[in-house]
Amino acid sequence: MQCSNVRRDDGAWVGLSLDVEDRRRPGLCVFTAGPRLLLSQLSRPVLLAVVDEQLQGVDFWRTDEYRSFVPPLRADVGRALAGSPERWAHRFAQYLIDSPDSPLHEGRWLLSHESPLQRWRHADTSHGEYWGSMLVDGHPEGYVDWFLHSHSWEVLPLRPMPDADDSRVKAYRKQAREGTLPPVLLWWVSGLDSHLILDGHARLAAAIAESVEPPLLQLHRTVPRDDLAARIDDAVGFYEDELARFAELRTIHGPTVPDGAATAGPQLVRLLHDLNTAEQPTWAWPLPGGLTQWRRIAVEVTTRQDWPL
């Protein structure tokens, strides 16, 4: 895996670009059978989902089979890395690549400490209220409401959230108050239009209980390497076309017309930045056995013939 820092044009650190090779199918894998999804971890069903016919949401059934690939994070490590999302990102990137049951597969990824979730909170809403409202309820079954939460990208836990008085949550609440809480690791899955919690259920519960903003690391796919060169050429071509257009206008109207660099230059920078940061749809693999196999798994997992209704 090749790992490189992604920065803004002002030098601010955004995240790590992960270029993964020789990993054709991940251990934590999304399978599809028509409008039905299966999230499986090393052949263990973790989550079943059905997109409704009106495309307004997803019914899901969550099993208790998900296992985090991140080892327990000690309090002294939290204190040592506090305030350094870059150092945390390098540590989590190593967990992702070393584990056989992470979602990484061939392609380019971004592991960023920035998330759209952090931009939606209103100033008059506390952190506890906001992050509590972003959690998808329901265990074992529930519903992700795309209509009500259009493009606000809720957070879907892969196991039940622990209570505020859980022993792990109590330990993390102290770290949340001290500002040494390790980040919550999220994975944006386009087929669910949600962020799945890969690691940090107790840490997020602690942040909500203490009403502080939880530190985040968000994982998502970016533009694949096969398309990158063509996308760069397109961005540079747009820049050159804009300069040529302004040059024609200057020929007609004189030197009072700007040369266009002040407009086209920042646009080029944004386009190139997006190639390393913009979210790309999550890859999914056809489920062997198709719909018949999905239904068989659903009956085994739910012990019900009528799910989904």
Side-chain angles (χ1 to χ4, degrees):
M1 179 186 73
Q2 296 181 358
C3 181
S4 57
N5 289 304
V6 177
R7 300 184 182 276
R8 300 192 186 282
D9 56 338
D10 62 0
W13 185 82
V14 174
L16 291 179
S17 176
L18 311 178
D19 196 340
V20 181
E21 299 179 350
D22 301 325
R23 197 164 182 169
R24 298 189 61 81
R25 181 183 291 180
L28 186 61
C29 186
V30 180
F31 292 98
T32 61
R36 291 164 171 79
L37 303 177
L38 168 66
L39 180 64
S40 176
Q41 187 177 36
L42 297 180
S43 78
R44 299 189 309 271
V46 170
L47 184 133
L48 292 150
V50 182
V51 179
D52 70 31
E53 294 182 357
Q54 305 302 318
L55 302 180
Q56 294 185 349
V58 180
D59 289 287
F60 70 85
W61 187 287
R62 183 176 55 195
T63 74
D64 288 318
E65 293 299 318
Y66 177 71
R67 301 292 181 268
S68 174
F69 49 86
V70 177
L73 301 173
R74 294 166 52 92
D76 57 344
V77 175
R79 288 190 292 272
L81 302 185
S84 179
E86 184 173 350
R87 294 176 67 191
W88 274 120
H90 279 277
R91 178 176 286 261
F92 275 86
Q94 200 62 54
Y95 297 143
L96 284 161
I97 197 61
D98 286 346
S99 174
D101 52 358
S102 87
L104 287 190
H105 56 73
E106 288 184 355
R108 296 175 68 246
W109 300 75
L110 180 70
L111 183 60
S112 175
H113 75 113
E114 298 179 349
S115 170
L117 292 166
Q118 298 160 324
R119 299 195 294 266
W120 297 113
R121 186 180 68 88
H122 295 293
D124 57 350
T125 303
S126 71
H127 287 293
E129 292 173 325
Y130 172 71
W131 289 100
S133 71
M134 295 304 292
L135 288 173
V136 179
D137 292 327
H139 184 77
E141 59 185 308
Y143 184 73
V144 180
D145 193 330
W146 292 347
F147 182 79
L148 182 63
H149 292 272
S150 178
H151 300 297
S152 62
W153 302 298
E154 292 177 283
V155 177
L156 178 57
L158 285 178
R159 56 175 176 254
M161 293 292 292
D163 296 329
D165 58 356
D166 178 273
S167 59
R168 295 167 302 158
V169 175
K170 286 183 177 179
Y172 282 129
R173 290 181 68 170
K174 182 175 184 294
Q175 290 182 262
R177 293 192 297 270
E178 295 173 347
T180 62
L181 190 66
V184 178
L185 180 61
L186 303 176
W187 173 33
W188 183 70
V189 176
S190 60
L192 299 169
D193 201 19
S194 299
H195 294 81
L196 305 186
I197 303 178
L198 294 178
D199 187 73
H201 293 74
R203 297 195 294 277
L204 181 55
I208 292 172
E210 293 297 324
S211 196
V212 299
E213 183 170 29
L216 301 177
L217 284 174
Q218 176 179 309
L219 179 73
H220 62 256
R221 287 185 62 244
T222 56
V223 175
R225 70 179 74 89
D226 293 344
D227 295 340
L228 188 59
R231 298 280 191 96
I232 292 175
D233 288 343
D234 289 343
V236 173
F238 170 81
Y239 172 77
E240 293 173 342
D241 289 345
E242 281 295 280
L243 294 187
R245 184 172 68 87
F246 275 91
E248 291 179 4
L249 291 174
R250 285 170 65 87
T251 299
I252 297 171
H253 300 289
T256 57
V257 175
D259 62 8
T263 301
Q267 287 179 309
L268 175 62
V269 171
R270 286 194 297 270
L271 288 171
L272 294 177
H273 179 74
D274 286 347
L275 295 179
N276 285 321
T277 59
E279 296 166 340
Q280 297 294 299
T282 307
W283 273 7
W285 280 257
L287 179 65
L291 183 57
T292 300
Q293 175 67 1
W294 188 94
R295 286 174 172 158
R296 185 188 67 78
I297 295 172
V299 171
E300 289 181 356
V301 169
T302 66
T303 68
R304 289 172 51 179
Q305 296 285 345
D306 62 344
W307 188 89
L309 297 176

